[in-house]
Amino acid sequence: MKRLRSRHVLGISYLEPEEIVYILDTAEALRGILERPIKKVPPLRGRTVVHLFFEPSTRTKLSFELAAKRLSADTVGITSSASSVVKGETLIDTARNIEAMKPDVIVMRHPMSGAPHVMARYVNSAVINAGDGTNEHPSQALLDLMTVRQHKGRLDGLNITIVGDIAHSRVARSDIIAFTRMGSRVTVCGPATMLPPDAESLGAMVSYNVREAIRDADVIIALRIQKERQGRSLIPSSREYASFFGINADTLRDVRPDVLIMHPGPINRGVEMSPEVADGKRSVILDQVTNGVAIRMALLSLLLADPSLSDGKESDRGEISEQ
Ligand code: CP
């Protein structure tokens, strides 16, 4: 495989398993650059990446920016509060104006599900979805796959349990699609008010009992309670949530000794996860963050350049099919 089928990365749902493996292998090859004293290679020299973040972000925004800089791309960015969106500009007008400046890639986070798909319709640049509403967060799912593959050596036949606010989580949605597509079993667990009606149609099993859900898990992914996306309170209190669904030393008493503990961040310490577990020996949360830079380097290089970075040669961009 030489390139991805689509010129956009809008969701895991559009990626075939072999494309996912190709992205993970490319990210593994690029990860070494992050360990070098001089963390910069030339393949995206002269390319421009625009970062549009219409929602807060620490990990995704910084790692996309670092990924672009590590590959020598020019980067510029804007947040919604500093953009003309606050003056009433529509998403389509924003898209047309950005396109008029001729960037190569637009990395976009937006509170509205489907916003990056709208952007992709109006621009010639490649669009990468950095999280849209409750829909998808594809680069997060890819970095989660990369982290699990590094630690478990495979992605098939594993038991993955995702605990928390599944209904409002684009990470959960992308992870369910990603892990099932790669041959693992996914169980989602949380209060009934936080489980989506379509979890089973996505291929996940549903549990309301955290101890049962994690007993045979190879990987536990805890998610944040997303108060900003819940129209009303879905749990009586954070304390009650922590006592029923929080991942702590007590809930982990009967789990597999080699279980991996993951969290996309940001963590509400003491709510979805205790500090001892977040910082404990089974936690790979900071590996996820490091892998996030490598995955985003892989996405940029596969969309824009020849992935064989060793000689820094660039290939033609060419035209590839729309998704
Ligand atoms: N995992 C994640 O999307 O984190 P940020 O919101 O900080 O980007």
Side-chain angles (χ1 to χ4, degrees):
M1 181 174 284
K2 279 282 171 224
R3 57 175 68 235
L4 302 178
R5 286 182 314 133
S6 172
R7 68 188 169 92
H8 307 296
V9 179
L10 297 178
I12 288 288
S13 50
Y14 303 108
L15 295 171
E16 297 295 333
E18 61 270 22
E19 292 182 286
I20 292 174
V21 170
Y22 185 43
I23 294 167
L24 301 187
D25 290 347
T26 306
E28 284 295 349
L30 293 171
R31 197 176 186 277
I33 294 167
L34 306 178
E35 311 295 337
R36 295 181 190 169
I38 307 294
K39 301 174 178 60
K40 199 163 177 124
V41 291
L44 300 191
R45 205 168 40 206
R47 305 289 201 171
T48 306
V49 182
V50 170
H51 299 98
L52 283 184
F53 276 72
F54 294 148
E55 267 191 353
S57 169
T58 298
R59 283 147 287 269
T60 312
K61 184 168 187 290
L62 282 181
S63 60
F64 265 116
E65 286 178 4
L66 278 174
K69 287 180 193 297
R70 300 296 185 233
L71 297 172
S72 301
D74 296 320
T75 67
V76 284
I78 198 158
T79 57
S80 56
S81 61
S83 78
S84 288
V85 167
V86 293
K87 301 178 197 166
E89 186 166 66
T90 66
L91 180 58
I92 292 171
D93 277 338
T94 302
R96 286 189 170 131
N97 280 273
I98 292 170
E99 178 59 22
M101 298 180 219
K102 312 289 180 199
D104 295 293
V105 179
I106 298 169
V107 177
M108 182 181 191
R109 170 169 288 193
H110 201 282
M112 190 179 80
S113 296
H117 301 66
V118 173
M119 177 69 67
R121 217 174 292 147
Y122 287 90
V123 297
N124 289 319
S125 325
V127 176
I128 302 179
N129 180 0
D132 64 324
T134 57
N135 180 37
E136 278 232 40
H137 193 348
S139 60
Q140 177 70 44
L142 289 165
L143 73 89
D144 288 348
L145 290 173
M146 182 176 177
T147 306
V148 170
R149 195 176 73 162
Q150 272 172 358
H151 287 272
K152 296 291 181 189
R154 63 195 164 98
L155 289 171
D156 61 318
L158 298 171
N159 293 325
I160 313 291
T161 300
I162 308 176
V163 183
D165 182 4
I166 312 295
H168 297 93
S169 173
R170 53 199 175 209
V171 176
R173 197 174 165 76
S174 288
D175 272 351
I176 292 169
I177 300 168
F179 281 104
T180 53
R181 199 156 281 185
M182 299 313 292
S184 284
R185 290 170 293 275
V186 177
T187 302
V188 293
C189 177
T193 50
M194 291 183 176
L195 292 178
D198 67 341
E200 280 163 337
S201 68
L202 285 174
M205 292 168 284
V206 174
S207 170
Y208 302 97
N209 181 318
V210 75
R211 286 175 196 273
E212 277 177 24
I214 65 176
R215 188 169 300 135
D216 288 323
D218 298 291
V219 178
I220 300 169
I221 303 174
L223 299 176
R224 185 173 65 87
I225 308 293
Q226 306 202 33
K227 290 190 180 137
E228 74 276 20
R229 277 188 232 292
Q230 300 168 359
R232 62 199 162 88
S233 181
L234 299 178
I235 46 169
S237 69
S238 298
R239 184 191 289 238
E240 188 160 328
Y241 178 87
S243 73
F244 281 99
F245 293 100
I247 306 297
N248 53 45
D250 187 46
T251 30
L252 291 181
R253 221 175 28 214
D254 299 324
V255 298
R256 292 186 175 175
D258 61 349
V259 69
L260 297 182
I261 304 292
M262 298 174 57
H263 194 303
I267 303 174
N268 291 311
R269 285 174 179 258
V271 182
E272 64 263 11
M273 187 178 283
S274 68
E276 307 80 68
V277 172
D279 303 327
K281 62 179 180 352
R282 294 187 273 208
S283 168
V284 293
I285 292 169
L286 293 179
D287 290 356
Q288 291 175 264
V289 179
T290 304
N291 288 337
V293 182
I295 283 291
R296 285 147 186 153
M297 288 168 76
L299 292 177
L300 291 172
S301 74
L302 290 173
L303 290 175
L304 286 182
D306 190 312
S308 56
L309 293 173
S310 51
D311 57 5
K313 277 187 199 154
E314 295 181 34
S315 66
D316 290 338
R317 178 163 168 198
E319 271 312 303
I320 38 182
S321 62
E322 295 282 351
Q323 52 199 9

